[in-house]
Amino acid sequence: VDALFGEITKALSRKEEVKIARFGSWMVKRLNARKGINPKTKESITIAARNKAAFRAGKDLKEAVGREA
């Protein structure tokens, strides 16, 4: 399991998509810079752009989780 997650992490750091058939896929999504508000001070701030890891469940995983017991 550690080796699998290690390889997924390496691929995502290279901005590659990782797919496991019928289970799902991991990808890197780019979040653009945006304006926000500091909740303590109510001051307007700029939130920097960044990359985000995302997971999209495959058909078989969605069906398995969605079944009633």
Side-chain angles (χ1 to χ4, degrees):
V1 174
D2 288 339
L4 174 65
F5 286 129
E7 291 301 316
I8 291 170
T9 301
K10 287 178 192 175
L12 291 175
S13 70
R14 295 187 302 265
K15 311 241 183 331
E16 296 173 357
E17 186 170 345
V18 178
K19 295 182 182 181
I20 297 178
R22 300 184 325 246
F23 181 76
S25 57
W26 289 265
M27 73 275 323
V28 175
K29 291 189 175 186
R30 180 76 178 159
L31 296 178
N32 294 325
R34 61 192 191 278
K35 292 183 180 180
I37 297 176
N38 180 330
K40 278 188 174 181
T41 64
K42 307 296 185 212
E43 184 180 350
S44 181
I45 59 172
T46 299
I47 300 169
R50 64 184 180 98
N51 291 325
K52 170 187 167 183
F55 176 76
R56 181 175 42 229
K59 181 182 175 191
D60 288 359
L61 180 59
K62 286 181 186 177
E63 289 176 358
V65 171
R67 286 190 202 129
E68 296 284 328

